[in-house]
Amino acid sequence: QASQEELKAAYRRLCMLYHPDKHRDPELKSQAERLFNLVHQAYEVLSDPQTRAIYDIYGRRGLEMEGWEVVERKRTPAEIREEFERLQREREERRLQQRTNPKGTISVGIDATDLFDRYDEEYEDVPGSSFPQIEINKMHISQSIEAPLTATDTAILSGNLSTQNGNGGGSINLALRRVTSAKGWGELEFGAGDLQGPLFGLKIFRNLTPRCFVTTNCALQFSSRGIRPGLTTVLARNLDKNTMGYLQWRWGIQSAMNTSIVRDTKTSHFTMALQLGIPHSFMMVSYQHKFQDEDQTRVKGSLKAGFFGTIVEYGAERKISRHSILGATVSVGVPQGVSLKIKLNRASQTYFFPVHLTDQLLPSAVFYATVGPLVIYFAMHRLIIKPYLTAQKERELEKQRESTASNILQKKQEAEAAVRLMQESVRRIIEAEEARMGLIVVNAWYGKFVNDNSRKNEKVKVIDVTVPLQCLVKDSKLILTEASKAGLPGFYDPCVGEEKSLKVLYQFRGVLHQVMSADNEALRIPKQ
């Protein structure tokens, strides 16, 4: 946002500081020439509206790209930005067409009722009956991939396999989706399976108003018993900024009417639903609280009651790595019993493990289903997950340091040369500030500080930036904008990839003050 006047003023100040004719020492003179040329190159870029607009979008890399001659010189910076944002979108669309966007779910049902529902008389003559029998009684696997055909057409191929107690089957589906306009899209679906006959479906989505949309899904299922038609319609409306209301009508297979309200905010998610249908009618209320921490921790609870009985569920989920979220839910119901559901989301893949513990309402089963996962999680987090993430972070930092080592060394040499060239100017600035009882930087450090006792084993990595900061003082003021301070004259990055701060001890009107500023935080001293 700097104006041309501000650019010219900064250019003149740095030219005076780095002009080779101001230095007689041959080594200082050569260093001044190099820094003077860098300042001149920067001013050439920023003083031209076209190159400045390109630099704002793509940085130094953009200036080195070929093909800028296709852009008319008479275009404004805003038009240049729009042009290259359009080119960037087209490039992203081409990359999207090359991706298949795979999504998958693996569910493994575990029967562990033998842990709590044992009947000793049945095991008297069975070898090994002293050990509870835990077995897998059902599995489900589904997978889908997308293939963009054009900018508006997408093909979706999906399939699934399910087994339960030794019996099962599968199906495969192909859907063709076309975006007809900014307000809607349509989708044709074809499917077939070994347990059911061919399936033909049509789905239509349409925005009726900016706050209301409707979805309609028609299906024809062919089987040995004949043709079974089905129709599902959903009408949704924004009730306010964070609340949606839904009305659903389903006819044919498992006919039902459903209405629900969903409120989703930054800290919570609330759902209330009511369904009247065949074979199931129910009422459901659920609430989820979102903690504002880096692990994205969430706790949730729900109550569902209907003709099938009553179910109470509670649980939590937490981010355990960059792409993985682990969750556990305890389900207590009548007549369903007690179950523990463990879910792991890894990028676009979901792994689900429902463990059925007992058919009865046993307090011991509820206790172990609640406490067991917590104990296992905290033990794994301390012994496995945390050490692994720490080691992974160290490897990434080391790799980043190695890749930027030569560049950082060059920046360090440039910064040290700039500090030597600043000495005479800083001496004059200090004399002027002392005369007016103004701003004098006593000491300044930039880098990684360790103040927390829990991080006392970490190494402090800071550099002295007293001279560069004093050189930036003008009229007893020091003003730094919201940007990384590693780019300031006389600065460099002493700890690549790590959190950095600027600590300044300064004197103003004869009184000492101290201030700490984050790397990308704006700074203005003296404080008012």
Side-chain angles (χ1 to χ4, degrees):
Q1 291 79 24
S3 65
Q4 288 296 324
E5 289 72 21
E6 290 172 321
L7 283 172
K8 288 179 182 177
Y11 177 58
R12 285 195 296 268
R13 181 173 59 82
L14 290 173
C15 283
M16 291 177 62
L17 184 64
Y18 295 144
H19 202 287
D21 294 344
K22 298 189 66 174
H23 304 279
R24 295 183 179 180
D25 183 271
E27 184 181 353
L28 289 178
K29 194 177 184 72
S30 65
Q31 292 170 350
E33 285 177 354
R34 187 173 70 254
L35 293 174
F36 183 81
N37 288 333
L38 286 174
V39 171
H40 184 65
Q41 291 171 14
Y43 182 68
E44 280 188 335
V45 170
L46 298 177
S47 59
D48 185 325
Q50 167 154 323
T51 55
R52 179 175 177 175
I54 294 169
Y55 181 80
D56 284 345
I57 299 171
Y58 290 103
R60 185 188 294 270
R61 176 175 58 89
L63 300 172
E64 299 168 356
M65 292 174 59
E66 297 179 357
W68 301 124
E69 60 274 7
V70 300
V71 180
E72 299 175 24
R73 296 288 303 180
K74 62 183 180 181
R75 289 195 179 185
T76 65
E79 289 173 335
I80 294 172
R81 183 184 295 273
E82 290 176 4
E83 173 72 14
F84 285 98
E85 285 178 353
R86 182 185 66 80
L87 294 174
Q88 189 175 21
R89 284 196 300 270
E90 289 180 356
R91 186 165 60 249
E92 288 297 325
E93 288 175 0
R94 288 195 297 271
R95 290 178 58 190
L96 180 64
Q97 291 176 10
Q98 297 171 358
R99 297 207 315 258
T100 58
N101 191 24
K103 297 178 183 178
T105 301
I106 296 178
S107 176
V108 180
I110 301 173
D111 184 358
T113 55
D114 203 28
L115 290 171
F116 298 96
D117 296 342
R118 288 174 61 86
Y119 296 96
D120 294 335
E121 60 272 15
E122 296 181 4
Y123 294 90
E124 291 178 355
D125 300 325
V126 179
S129 62
S130 58
F131 296 99
Q133 294 185 5
I134 299 175
E135 57 186 24
I136 295 174
N137 61 355
K138 57 184 176 181
M139 292 185 68
H140 175 81
I141 299 175
S142 64
Q143 186 77 21
S144 70
I145 56 173
E146 295 182 4
L149 306 177
T150 66
T152 59
D153 297 334
T154 304
I156 305 167
L157 182 65
S158 61
N160 67 81
L161 291 170
S162 299
T163 66
Q164 183 168 0
N165 297 324
N167 299 314
S171 65
I172 187 168
N173 293 68
L174 173 65
L176 299 174
R177 179 183 299 166
R178 164 166 287 188
V179 179
T180 54
S181 68
K183 292 185 176 182
W185 50 264
E187 184 177 291
L188 285 173
E189 183 181 4
F190 309 92
D194 59 348
L195 297 181
Q196 296 177 336
L199 170 71
F200 296 97
L202 172 65
K203 182 184 288 186
I204 298 174
F205 170 87
R206 181 76 178 177
N207 278 313
L208 303 179
T209 68
R211 300 181 61 185
C212 182
F213 69 85
V214 64
T215 302
T216 300
N217 186 9
C218 309
L220 292 175
Q221 178 71 64
F222 295 85
S223 66
S224 57
R225 300 178 181 177
I227 301 176
R228 291 195 298 172
L231 175 65
T232 302
T233 300
V234 178
L235 178 66
R237 179 178 172 81
N238 279 95
L239 303 180
D240 62 30
K241 181 181 177 182
N242 300 307
T243 309
M244 288 288 294
Y246 297 90
L247 290 172
Q248 183 187 74
W249 176 61
R250 188 168 61 241
W251 170 80
I253 306 169
Q254 294 187 346
S255 298
M257 293 181 65
N258 181 296
T259 181
S260 59
I261 295 176
V262 179
R263 181 170 177 80
D264 191 16
T265 66
K266 188 177 180 181
T267 59
S268 65
H269 183 93
F270 173 78
T271 303
M272 183 171 64
L274 174 66
Q275 175 173 305
L276 301 175
I278 303 171
H280 294 306
S281 296
F282 65 85
M283 183 181 70
M284 188 267 289
V285 177
S286 70
Y287 178 79
Q288 183 181 92
H289 183 75
K290 307 173 188 177
F291 292 92
Q292 302 302 304
D293 58 353
E294 60 180 10
D295 293 324
Q296 300 177 11
T297 306
R298 300 182 180 189
V299 295
K300 54 188 176 181
S302 68
L303 171 65
K304 190 175 182 180
F307 294 162
F308 53 81
T310 302
I311 299 176
V312 176
E313 292 188 344
Y314 58 90
E317 65 178 38
R318 196 175 196 184
K319 190 176 182 180
I320 58 174
S321 70
R322 185 182 301 174
H323 303 293
S324 302
I325 298 176
L326 180 64
T329 303
V330 178
S331 177
V332 182
V334 179
Q336 290 82 3
V338 181
S339 297
L340 171 64
K341 302 173 183 177
I342 300 172
K343 184 169 72 171
L344 174 65
N345 286 330
R346 173 73 179 172
S348 60
Q349 304 294 316
T350 301
Y351 304 90
F352 187 52
F353 302 92
V355 183
H356 188 49
L357 298 176
T358 175
D359 294 324
Q360 308 173 56
L361 288 181
L362 297 180
S364 58
V366 176
F367 174 79
Y368 285 113
T370 305
V371 177
L374 290 174
V375 173
I376 294 172
Y377 168 76
F378 284 113
M380 288 181 62
H381 186 267
R382 179 170 289 275
L383 300 176
I384 300 175
I385 298 174
K386 192 174 180 180
Y388 171 77
L389 293 177
T390 303
Q392 187 182 43
K393 185 178 180 181
E394 284 297 325
R395 285 195 299 269
E396 290 176 355
L397 283 176
E398 190 62 34
K399 188 176 179 181
Q400 190 176 359
R401 291 190 196 104
E402 290 175 0
S403 64
T404 58
S406 59
N407 187 38
I408 292 298
L409 181 61
Q410 181 185 351
K411 293 291 184 184
K412 180 180 178 182
Q413 293 171 348
E414 290 179 359
E416 291 172 346
V419 169
R420 287 194 290 271
L421 297 171
M422 291 175 183
Q423 297 291 344
E424 183 62 27
S425 297
V426 167
R427 185 183 61 78
R428 291 196 299 269
I429 292 172
I430 291 176
E431 289 177 356
E433 292 296 326
E434 284 178 340
R436 69 176 77 165
M437 294 283 287
L439 176 61
I440 299 173
V441 179
V442 180
N443 276 307
W445 302 271
Y446 173 67
K448 175 185 175 184
F449 296 86
V450 179
N451 301 319
D452 191 350
N453 289 331
S454 63
R455 300 165 58 197
K456 59 185 178 182
N457 295 328
E458 298 184 26
K459 186 179 178 182
V460 177
K461 303 172 186 175
V462 296
I463 57 173
D464 190 330
V465 291
T466 307
V467 172
L469 273 192
Q470 186 69 64
C471 194
L472 294 172
V473 173
K474 185 178 180 181
D475 299 331
S476 299
K477 295 177 184 177
L478 175 63
I479 301 173
L480 303 179
T481 57
E482 292 182 359
S484 175
K485 298 170 178 62
L488 294 172
F491 282 62
Y492 68 93
D493 193 340
C495 44
V496 176
E498 299 185 62
E499 188 177 335
K500 292 173 282 292
S501 302
L502 174 65
K503 186 176 182 180
V504 186
L505 179 66
Y506 66 94
Q507 182 177 299
F508 183 68
R509 304 275 170 83
V511 181
L512 281 174
H513 303 272
Q514 181 175 290
V515 64
M516 194 89 164
S517 171
D519 187 25
N520 290 291
E521 182 183 357
L523 177 66
R524 183 186 180 98
I525 55 175
K527 298 284 187 180
Q528 298 301 315

